[in-house]
Coordinates of all heavy atoms in Angstrom, one line a residue:
G1 N -167.0 0.7 223.7 CA -167.3 1.5 224.9 C -166.4 2.7 225.0 O -165.7 3.0 224.1
M2 N -166.4 3.3 226.1 CA -165.5 4.5 226.3 C -164.0 4.1 226.4 O -163.2 4.9 226.1 CB -165.9 5.2 227.6 CG -167.3 5.9 227.6 SD -167.3 7.1 226.2 CE -166.3 8.4 226.8
G3 N -163.7 2.8 226.7 CA -162.3 2.4 226.6 C -161.8 2.5 225.3 O -160.6 3.1 225.1
T4 N -162.5 2.1 224.3 CA -162.0 2.2 222.9 C -161.9 3.6 222.5 O -160.9 4.0 221.8 CB -163.0 1.5 221.9 OG1 -163.1 0.1 222.3 CG2 -162.6 1.6 220.5
S5 N -162.8 4.5 222.8 CA -162.8 5.9 222.4 C -161.6 6.6 223.1 O -161.0 7.5 222.5 CB -164.1 6.6 222.7 OG -164.4 6.6 224.1
M6 N -161.3 6.2 224.3 CA -160.1 6.8 225.0 C -158.8 6.4 224.3 O -157.9 7.2 224.2 CB -160.1 6.4 226.5 CG -161.1 7.1 227.3 SD -161.0 9.0 227.2 CE -159.4 9.3 227.8
I7 N -158.7 5.1 223.9 CA -157.5 4.6 223.2 C -157.4 5.4 221.9 O -156.3 5.9 221.5 CB -157.6 3.1 222.9 CG1 -157.5 2.3 224.2 CG2 -156.6 2.7 221.9 CD1 -157.9 0.9 224.1
L8 N -158.5 5.6 221.1 CA -158.5 6.3 219.9 C -158.1 7.8 220.1 O -157.3 8.4 219.4 CB -159.8 6.3 219.2 CG -160.1 5.0 218.5 CD1 -161.6 5.0 217.9 CD2 -159.1 4.7 217.4
K9 N -158.6 8.4 221.2 CA -158.3 9.8 221.5 C -156.8 9.9 221.7 O -156.2 10.8 221.2 CB -159.0 10.2 222.7 CG -158.7 11.6 223.2 CD -159.5 11.9 224.5 CE -159.3 13.3 225.1 NZ -158.1 14.0 224.9
I10 N -156.2 9.1 222.6 CA -154.8 9.2 222.9 C -153.9 8.9 221.7 O -153.0 9.7 221.4 CB -154.4 8.2 224.1 CG1 -155.1 8.6 225.4 CG2 -152.9 8.0 224.2 CD1 -155.1 7.6 226.4
N11 N -154.3 7.9 220.9 CA -153.5 7.7 219.7 C -153.7 8.8 218.6 O -152.7 9.1 218.0 CB -153.9 6.3 219.1 CG -153.4 5.2 220.0 OD1 -152.5 5.4 220.8 ND2 -153.9 3.9 219.7
A12 N -154.9 9.3 218.5 CA -155.1 10.4 217.6 C -154.3 11.6 218.0 O -153.7 12.3 217.1 CB -156.6 10.8 217.5
E13 N -154.2 11.9 219.2 CA -153.4 13.1 219.7 C -151.9 12.9 219.4 O -151.3 13.8 218.9 CB -153.6 13.3 221.2 CG -155.0 13.8 221.6 CD -155.3 13.9 223.0 OE1 -154.7 13.1 223.8 OE2 -156.2 14.6 223.4
K14 N -151.4 11.6 219.6 CA -150.0 11.4 219.2 C -149.8 11.6 217.8 O -148.8 12.2 217.4 CB -149.7 9.9 219.6 CG -149.5 9.6 221.0 CD -149.1 8.1 221.3 CE -149.3 7.7 222.7 NZ -149.1 6.3 222.9
V15 N -150.6 11.0 216.9 CA -150.5 11.1 215.5 C -150.6 12.5 215.0 O -149.7 12.9 214.2 CB -151.5 10.2 214.8 CG1 -151.5 10.5 213.3 CG2 -151.2 8.7 215.0
L16 N -151.6 13.3 215.5 CA -151.7 14.6 215.1 C -150.5 15.5 215.5 O -150.0 16.3 214.7 CB -153.0 15.2 215.7 CG -154.3 14.7 215.1 CD1 -155.5 15.0 216.0 CD2 -154.5 15.1 213.7
K17 N -149.9 15.3 216.6 CA -148.7 15.9 217.0 C -147.5 15.6 216.0 O -146.8 16.5 215.6 CB -148.3 15.6 218.4 CG -147.2 16.3 219.0 CD -147.0 16.0 220.5 CE -145.9 16.9 221.0 NZ -145.6 16.7 222.4
Q18 N -147.4 14.3 215.7 CA -146.4 13.9 214.8 C -146.5 14.5 213.4 O -145.5 14.8 212.7 CB -146.4 12.4 214.6 CG -146.0 11.6 215.9 CD -146.2 10.1 215.8 OE1 -146.9 9.6 214.9 NE2 -145.8 9.4 216.9
I19 N -147.7 14.7 212.9 CA -147.9 15.3 211.6 C -148.2 16.8 211.7 O -148.6 17.4 210.6 CB -149.0 14.6 210.8 CG1 -150.4 14.7 211.4 CG2 -148.6 13.1 210.5 CD1 -151.5 14.1 210.6
N20 N -147.9 17.4 212.8 CA -148.0 18.8 213.1 C -149.4 19.4 212.7 O -149.5 20.5 212.1 CB -146.9 19.6 212.2 CG -145.5 19.2 212.7 OD1 -145.3 19.3 214.0 ND2 -144.6 18.9 211.8
I21 N -150.4 18.7 213.2 CA -151.8 19.3 213.1 C -152.3 19.6 214.5 O -152.3 18.7 215.4 CB -152.7 18.3 212.4 CG1 -152.3 17.9 211.0 CG2 -154.2 18.8 212.5 CD1 -152.6 18.9 209.9
A22 N -152.7 20.9 214.7 CA -153.3 21.2 216.0 C -154.7 21.0 215.9 O -155.4 21.4 215.0 CB -153.0 22.8 216.2
A23 N -155.2 20.2 216.9 CA -156.6 19.9 216.9 C -157.1 19.5 218.3 O -156.3 19.2 219.2 CB -156.9 18.6 216.0
T24 N -158.4 19.6 218.6 CA -159.0 19.2 219.8 C -159.6 17.8 219.5 O -160.3 17.7 218.5 CB -160.1 20.2 220.2 OG1 -159.5 21.5 220.4 CG2 -160.7 19.7 221.5
V25 N -159.2 16.9 220.4 CA -159.7 15.5 220.2 C -160.5 15.2 221.4 O -160.1 15.3 222.6 CB -158.5 14.5 220.1 CG1 -159.0 13.1 219.9 CG2 -157.6 14.9 218.9
E26 N -161.8 14.7 221.2 CA -162.7 14.3 222.3 C -163.0 12.8 222.2 O -163.2 12.3 221.0 CB -163.9 15.1 222.2 CG -163.8 16.6 222.5 CD -165.1 17.3 222.5 OE1 -166.0 16.9 223.3 OE2 -165.3 18.2 221.7
A27 N -163.2 12.2 223.3 CA -163.7 10.8 223.3 C -165.2 11.0 223.7 O -165.5 11.5 224.8 CB -162.9 10.0 224.4
V28 N -166.1 10.6 222.9 CA -167.5 10.7 223.2 C -168.3 9.4 222.9 O -167.8 8.5 222.2 CB -168.2 11.8 222.3 CG1 -167.5 13.2 222.6 CG2 -168.2 11.5 220.8
S29 N -169.5 9.3 223.5 CA -170.3 8.2 223.3 C -170.9 8.2 221.9 O -170.9 9.2 221.2 CB -171.5 8.2 224.3 OG -172.3 9.3 224.0
L30 N -171.4 7.0 221.5 CA -172.0 6.9 220.1 C -173.2 7.9 220.1 O -173.4 8.6 219.1 CB -172.5 5.5 219.9 CG -173.3 5.2 218.6 CD1 -172.5 5.6 217.4 CD2 -173.8 3.9 218.5
E31 N -174.0 8.0 221.1 CA -175.1 8.9 221.1 C -174.7 10.4 220.9 O -175.3 11.1 220.2 CB -176.0 8.8 222.5 CG -176.6 7.4 222.6 CD -175.7 6.3 223.0 OE1 -174.6 6.5 223.6 OE2 -176.0 5.1 222.7
R32 N -173.6 10.7 221.6 CA -173.1 12.1 221.4 C -172.6 12.4 220.1 O -172.8 13.4 219.4 CB -172.1 12.5 222.5 CG -171.6 13.9 222.4 CD -171.3 14.5 223.7 NE -170.6 15.8 223.4 CZ -169.4 16.1 223.8 NH1 -168.7 15.3 224.6 NH2 -168.9 17.3 223.6
A33 N -171.9 11.4 219.5 CA -171.3 11.5 218.2 C -172.4 11.6 217.1 O -172.3 12.3 216.1 CB -170.5 10.3 217.9
Q34 N -173.5 11.0 217.4 CA -174.7 11.1 216.4 C -175.4 12.4 216.5 O -176.0 12.8 215.5 CB -175.7 10.0 216.7 CG -175.2 8.6 216.4 CD -176.1 7.4 216.9 OE1 -176.6 7.5 218.1 NE2 -176.3 6.5 216.2
T35 N -175.3 13.1 217.6 CA -176.0 14.4 217.7 C -175.1 15.6 217.5 O -175.5 16.7 217.3 CB -176.8 14.5 219.0 OG1 -175.8 14.3 220.1 CG2 -177.8 13.4 219.1
Q36 N -173.8 15.5 217.8 CA -172.8 16.5 217.7 C -172.6 16.8 216.3 O -172.4 16.0 215.5 CB -171.5 16.1 218.4 CG -170.5 17.1 218.7 CD -169.5 16.6 219.6 OE1 -169.7 15.9 220.6 NE2 -168.2 16.9 219.2
R37 N -172.6 18.1 215.9 CA -172.5 18.5 214.5 C -171.3 19.3 214.2 O -171.1 19.8 213.1 CB -173.8 19.4 214.1 CG -175.0 18.5 214.1 CD -175.1 17.5 212.9 NE -176.3 16.9 212.8 CZ -176.5 15.6 213.0 NH1 -175.5 14.8 213.4 NH2 -177.7 15.1 212.8
D38 N -170.3 19.5 215.2 CA -169.2 20.4 214.9 C -167.9 19.6 214.8 O -166.9 20.3 214.6 CB -169.1 21.4 216.1 CG -168.9 20.7 217.4 OD1 -169.1 19.5 217.6 OD2 -168.6 21.5 218.4
A39 N -167.9 18.3 214.7 CA -166.6 17.6 214.5 C -166.3 17.5 213.1 O -167.1 17.3 212.2 CB -166.8 16.1 215.1
Q40 N -165.0 17.8 212.8 CA -164.5 17.7 211.4 C -164.4 16.2 211.0 O -164.8 15.8 209.9 CB -163.2 18.4 211.2 CG -162.6 18.3 209.8 CD -161.3 19.0 209.7 OE1 -160.9 19.8 210.5 NE2 -160.6 18.7 208.6
I41 N -163.9 15.4 211.9 CA -163.7 14.0 211.7 C -164.2 13.2 212.9 O -164.0 13.6 214.0 CB -162.2 13.8 211.5 CG1 -161.6 14.4 210.2 CG2 -161.8 12.2 211.5 CD1 -160.1 14.4 210.1
I42 N -164.8 12.1 212.6 CA -165.1 11.1 213.7 C -164.3 9.8 213.3 O -164.4 9.3 212.3 CB -166.6 10.8 213.6 CG1 -167.4 12.0 214.0 CG2 -166.9 9.6 214.6 CD1 -168.9 11.9 213.9
L43 N -163.5 9.4 214.3 CA -162.8 8.1 214.3 C -163.7 7.1 214.9 O -164.2 7.3 216.0 CB -161.5 8.2 215.0 CG -160.5 9.3 214.5 CD1 -159.3 9.4 215.5 CD2 -160.0 8.9 213.1
T44 N -163.8 5.9 214.2 CA -164.7 4.9 214.8 C -164.2 3.5 214.3 O -163.3 3.4 213.5 CB -166.2 5.1 214.4 OG1 -167.0 4.2 215.1 CG2 -166.4 4.9 212.8
T45 N -164.8 2.5 214.9 CA -164.6 1.1 214.5 C -165.6 0.6 213.5 O -166.7 1.2 213.4 CB -164.6 0.2 215.8 OG1 -165.9 0.4 216.4 CG2 -163.5 0.6 216.7
K46 N -165.3 -0.5 212.8 CA -166.2 -1.0 211.8 C -167.6 -1.3 212.4 O -168.6 -1.0 211.7 CB -165.7 -2.4 211.3 CG -164.5 -2.3 210.4 CD -164.0 -3.7 209.9 CE -163.6 -4.5 211.0 NZ -163.0 -5.8 210.5
D47 N -167.7 -1.8 213.6 CA -169.0 -2.2 214.2 C -169.9 -1.0 214.4 O -171.1 -1.1 214.5 CB -168.8 -3.0 215.4 CG -168.0 -2.4 216.5 OD1 -167.0 -1.7 216.1 OD2 -168.3 -2.5 217.6
L48 N -169.3 0.2 214.6 CA -170.1 1.4 214.8 C -170.3 2.3 213.6 O -171.1 3.2 213.6 CB -169.5 2.2 216.0 CG -169.4 1.5 217.3 CD1 -168.8 2.4 218.3 CD2 -170.8 1.1 217.8
A49 N -169.5 2.1 212.6 CA -169.6 3.0 211.4 C -171.0 3.1 210.8 O -171.4 4.3 210.4 CB -168.6 2.5 210.3
E50 N -171.7 2.1 210.8 CA -173.1 2.1 210.2 C -174.0 3.1 210.9 O -174.8 3.8 210.3 CB -173.7 0.7 210.3 CG -175.0 0.6 209.6 CD -174.9 0.7 208.1 OE1 -173.9 0.3 207.5 OE2 -175.9 1.1 207.5
H51 N -173.8 3.3 212.2 CA -174.6 4.2 213.0 C -174.2 5.7 212.8 O -174.9 6.6 213.4 CB -174.4 3.8 214.5 CG -174.8 2.4 214.8 ND1 -176.2 2.0 214.8 CD2 -174.1 1.4 215.1 CE1 -176.3 0.8 215.1 NE2 -175.0 0.3 215.3
L52 N -173.1 5.9 212.1 CA -172.6 7.3 212.0 C -172.8 7.8 210.5 O -172.3 8.9 210.2 CB -171.2 7.3 212.4 CG -170.9 7.0 213.9 CD1 -169.5 6.8 214.1 CD2 -171.5 8.1 214.7
K53 N -173.5 7.1 209.7 CA -173.7 7.5 208.3 C -174.7 8.7 208.3 O -175.6 8.9 209.2 CB -174.4 6.4 207.5 CG -173.4 5.3 207.1 CD -174.0 4.4 206.1 CE -172.9 3.4 205.7 NZ -173.3 2.3 205.0
G54 N -174.5 9.6 207.4 CA -175.3 10.8 207.2 C -175.0 12.0 208.0 O -175.7 13.0 208.0
L55 N -173.9 11.9 208.7 CA -173.5 13.0 209.6 C -172.6 13.9 208.7 O -172.0 13.5 207.7 CB -172.6 12.5 210.8 CG -173.4 11.7 211.8 CD1 -172.4 11.3 212.9 CD2 -174.5 12.5 212.4
P56 N -172.6 15.3 209.1 CA -171.8 16.2 208.3 C -170.3 16.0 208.5 O -169.5 16.4 207.6 CB -172.2 17.6 208.9 CG -172.8 17.3 210.2 CD -173.3 15.9 210.1
S57 N -169.9 15.2 209.5 CA -168.4 15.0 209.7 C -167.9 13.9 208.8 O -168.7 13.0 208.3 CB -168.3 14.5 211.2 OG -168.8 15.3 212.1
E58 N -166.6 13.9 208.5 CA -166.0 12.8 207.8 C -165.8 11.7 208.8 O -165.4 11.9 209.9 CB -164.6 13.3 207.3 CG -163.9 12.1 206.7 CD -162.4 12.5 206.2 OE1 -162.0 13.7 206.4 OE2 -161.7 11.6 205.8
V59 N -166.2 10.5 208.5 CA -166.1 9.4 209.4 C -165.0 8.5 208.8 O -165.0 8.0 207.7 CB -167.5 8.5 209.4 CG1 -167.3 7.3 210.3 CG2 -168.6 9.4 209.9
I60 N -164.0 8.3 209.7 CA -162.8 7.4 209.4 C -163.0 6.2 210.2 O -163.1 6.2 211.4 CB -161.5 8.2 209.7 CG1 -161.3 9.4 208.8 CG2 -160.3 7.2 209.6 CD1 -160.1 10.2 209.1
V61 N -163.1 5.1 209.4 CA -163.3 3.8 210.0 C -162.0 3.1 210.2 O -161.2 2.9 209.2 CB -164.2 2.9 209.2 CG1 -164.4 1.5 209.8 CG2 -165.6 3.6 209.0
L62 N -161.6 2.7 211.4 CA -160.3 1.9 211.7 C -160.6 0.4 211.8 O -161.5 0.0 212.5 CB -159.7 2.5 212.9 CG -159.4 4.0 212.8 CD1 -159.1 4.5 214.2 CD2 -158.2 4.2 211.9
E63 N -159.8 -0.3 211.0 CA -159.9 -1.8 211.1 C -159.3 -2.3 212.4 O -159.8 -3.2 213.0 CB -159.1 -2.4 209.9 CG -159.6 -2.0 208.5 CD -161.0 -2.5 208.2 OE1 -161.3 -3.6 208.6 OE2 -161.8 -1.8 207.6
Q64 N -158.2 -1.7 212.8 CA -157.5 -2.1 214.1 C -157.3 -0.8 215.0 O -156.5 0.0 214.6 CB -156.1 -2.7 213.7 CG -156.2 -3.9 212.9 CD -156.8 -5.1 213.6 OE1 -156.6 -5.2 214.8 NE2 -157.6 -5.9 212.9
V65 N -158.0 -0.8 216.1 CA -158.0 0.4 217.0 C -156.5 0.7 217.5 O -156.2 1.8 217.6 CB -158.9 0.1 218.2 CG1 -158.7 1.2 219.2 CG2 -160.3 0.0 217.7
L66 N -155.7 -0.4 217.7 CA -154.4 -0.2 218.2 C -153.3 0.1 217.2 O -152.2 0.3 217.5 CB -154.0 -1.4 219.1 CG -154.9 -1.6 220.3 CD1 -154.5 -2.9 221.0 CD2 -154.8 -0.5 221.2
D67 N -153.7 0.1 215.9 CA -152.7 0.2 214.8 C -152.5 1.7 214.5 O -153.2 2.4 213.8 CB -153.3 -0.5 213.5 CG -152.3 -0.5 212.4 OD1 -151.3 0.3 212.4 OD2 -152.5 -1.3 211.5
I68 N -151.4 2.2 215.1 CA -151.0 3.6 215.0 C -150.7 3.9 213.5 O -151.0 5.0 213.0 CB -149.8 3.9 215.8 CG1 -150.1 3.7 217.3 CG2 -149.2 5.3 215.5 CD1 -150.8 4.9 217.9
E69 N -150.1 3.0 212.7 CA -149.8 3.3 211.4 C -151.0 3.5 210.5 O -151.1 4.3 209.6 CB -148.9 2.2 210.8 CG -147.5 2.2 211.3 CD -146.8 3.6 211.3 OE1 -146.9 4.2 210.1 OE2 -146.2 4.1 212.3
E70 N -152.0 2.6 210.8 CA -153.3 2.8 210.0 C -153.9 4.2 210.4 O -154.4 4.9 209.5 CB -154.3 1.7 210.4 CG -155.6 1.9 209.7 CD -156.7 0.9 210.3 OE1 -156.5 0.2 211.3 OE2 -157.8 0.9 209.7
L71 N -153.9 4.5 211.6 CA -154.5 5.8 212.1 C -153.7 7.0 211.4 O -154.3 7.9 210.9 CB -154.5 5.9 213.6 CG -155.0 7.1 214.2 CD1 -156.5 7.4 213.8 CD2 -154.9 7.1 215.7
R72 N -152.4 6.9 211.4 CA -151.5 7.9 210.8 C -151.9 8.0 209.3 O -152.0 9.2 208.8 CB -150.0 7.6 211.0 CG -149.2 8.7 210.5 CD -147.7 8.5 210.6 NE -147.3 7.4 211.4 CZ -146.9 7.5 212.7 NH1 -146.9 8.7 213.3 NH2 -146.5 6.5 213.4
A73 N -151.9 6.9 208.6 CA -152.2 6.9 207.2 C -153.6 7.6 206.9 O -153.7 8.4 206.0 CB -152.1 5.5 206.6
K74 N -154.6 7.2 207.6 CA -155.9 7.7 207.4 C -156.1 9.2 207.8 O -156.7 9.9 207.0 CB -157.0 6.8 208.0 CG -157.0 5.5 207.4 CD -158.1 4.5 207.9 CE -158.2 3.3 207.1 NZ -159.1 2.3 207.6
L75 N -155.5 9.6 208.9 CA -155.6 11.0 209.2 C -154.7 11.9 208.3 O -155.2 12.9 207.9 CB -155.1 11.2 210.7 CG -156.1 10.8 211.8 CD1 -155.5 11.0 213.2 CD2 -157.3 11.7 211.7
S76 N -153.6 11.3 207.9 CA -152.8 12.1 206.9 C -153.5 12.3 205.6 O -153.5 13.4 205.0 CB -151.4 11.4 206.7 OG -150.7 11.4 207.9
R77 N -154.2 11.2 205.1 CA -154.8 11.3 203.9 C -156.0 12.3 204.0 O -156.3 13.0 203.0 CB -155.4 9.9 203.6 CG -155.9 9.8 202.1 CD -156.4 8.3 201.8 NE -155.5 7.3 202.3 CZ -155.8 6.2 203.1 NH1 -157.1 6.1 203.4 NH2 -154.9 5.4 203.4
S78 N -156.6 12.4 205.1 CA -157.7 13.4 205.3 C -157.2 14.8 205.5 O -157.9 15.7 205.0 CB -158.5 12.9 206.5 OG -159.5 13.8 206.7
L79 N -156.2 15.0 206.2 CA -155.8 16.3 206.7 C -154.6 17.0 206.0 O -154.4 18.2 206.1 CB -155.5 16.3 208.2 CG -156.6 15.9 209.1 CD1 -156.2 15.6 210.5 CD2 -157.7 17.0 209.1
L80 N -153.8 16.2 205.3 CA -152.6 16.8 204.7 C -152.8 16.9 203.2 O -153.5 16.3 202.6 CB -151.4 15.9 204.9 CG -151.0 15.8 206.4 CD1 -149.8 14.9 206.6 CD2 -150.7 17.1 207.1

């Protein structure tokens, strides 16, 4: 739900600041993520990843939504 996307948004903003990447982070519904074509990266959970296949964005699947280290590692791998 939107609670999960808000948690991911807040944590992504923290991590991006720590790794010195300037970015706009949005929390959106699955429906919007499926139709929006301008995101460089989509952060999601395992249960929603299947619904985001075939999009032009890079889809990063997080095993644990609250795991900041996992998020930092995956965003760093993608952006640095």
Side-chain angles (χ1 to χ4, degrees):
M2 287 304 288
T4 300
S5 63
M6 285 306 298
I7 291 168
L8 284 175
K9 177 186 185 322
I10 291 165
N11 288 344
E13 288 171 337
K14 285 180 192 172
V15 167
L16 290 166
K17 187 174 183 182
Q18 292 168 353
I19 62 174
N20 294 314
I21 300 283
T24 300
V25 181
E26 293 181 59
V28 301
S29 66
L30 176 61
E31 293 75 24
R32 181 147 173 238
Q34 290 170 318
T35 58
Q36 193 169 315
R37 294 288 188 250
D38 59 349
Q40 179 179 346
I41 295 172
I42 296 175
L43 300 172
T44 191
T45 55
K46 289 184 292 189
D47 57 321
L48 296 180
E50 187 68 31
H51 301 287
L52 297 167
K53 285 190 172 165
L55 295 177
S57 308
E58 177 184 355
V59 177
I60 295 178
V61 180
L62 298 166
E63 301 294 322
Q64 299 292 325
V65 173
L66 298 176
D67 186 346
I68 295 279
E69 289 308 314
E70 177 190 6
L71 181 58
R72 182 185 345 267
K74 290 182 175 180
L75 281 175
S76 294
R77 193 175 315 131
S78 175
L79 296 170
L80 297 180

